[in-house]
């Protein structure tokens, strides 16, 4: 009996699990929400926490594309690495200057999200 319940739960989870692209898109949706929640606020601690989340996501993307696995074309890997570098540089500047707008970080994340969603429709 227990084994059947566990198997049913597993099947349900497997049928509703996200693809890699869907998971990436969800990460960017959440990042956008976090950044938007602090974009007009004056709380520097919350702002810096949001930027730190941004930095961690782009760091993961950079790390994932630093190693040749044969899954992603070299040209795309270089593009992702360059985008990550630029996003992180701006993020550092935004941490150091509380008056620097977070809108470029949000726009970059939206552009990536749109690309992920469009590619998922193919």
């Amino acid at each position: 009996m227990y084994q059947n319940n566990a198997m049913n739960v597993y099947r349900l989870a497997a049928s509703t699990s996200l693809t890699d692209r869907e998971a990436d898109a969800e990460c960017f949706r959440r990042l956008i929400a976090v950044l938007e929640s602090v974009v007009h606020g004056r709380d520097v601690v919350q702002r810096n926490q949001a930027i730190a989340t941004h930095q961690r996501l782009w760091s993961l993307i950079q790390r994932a594309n630093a190693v040749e696995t044969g899954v992603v074309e070299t040209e795309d890997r270089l593009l992702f690495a360059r985008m990550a570098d630029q996003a992180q540089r701006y993020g550092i500047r935004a941490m150091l200057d509380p008056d620097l707008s977070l809108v470029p970080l949000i726009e970059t994340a939206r552009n990536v999200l749109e690309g992920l969603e469009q590619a998922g429709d193919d």
Side-chain angles (χ1 to χ4, degrees):
M1 180 74 161
Y2 176 75
Q3 186 175 7
N4 287 338
N5 287 340
M7 197 58 153
N8 289 337
V9 170
Y10 172 78
R11 283 189 189 123
L12 178 63
S15 70
T16 61
S17 64
L18 301 175
T19 66
D20 289 345
R21 186 168 300 280
E22 290 169 335
D24 291 346
E26 184 59 28
C27 288
F28 278 96
R29 276 187 210 96
R30 290 179 186 205
L31 175 62
I32 292 165
V34 167
L35 291 171
E36 286 179 336
S37 73
V38 299
V39 74
H40 297 295
R42 299 303 302 163
D43 186 334
V44 175
V45 172
Q46 285 183 343
R47 174 187 161 95
N48 284 346
Q49 287 173 340
I51 295 170
T53 298
H54 168 271
Q55 298 295 87
R56 282 191 300 276
L57 176 60
W58 280 107
S59 177
L60 290 170
I61 291 168
Q62 196 169 39
R63 195 172 324 135
N65 286 283
V67 178
E68 172 62 55
T69 61
V71 176
V72 178
E73 297 288 328
T74 301
E75 185 177 312
D76 291 339
R77 287 179 41 242
L78 291 172
L79 173 65
F80 295 141
R82 197 168 31 255
M83 285 177 61
D85 179 58
Q86 291 172 352
Q88 288 178 306
R89 285 175 187 250
Y90 192 91
I92 291 167
R93 288 181 35 219
M95 279 185 166
L96 297 173
D97 181 358
D99 295 324
L100 192 62
S101 174
L102 297 183
V103 171
L105 300 180
I106 295 169
E107 288 176 355
T108 300
R110 279 191 184 134
N111 289 336
V112 172
L113 177 59
E114 286 174 17
L116 288 167
E117 289 174 338
Q118 287 175 0
D121 294 339
D122 296 340

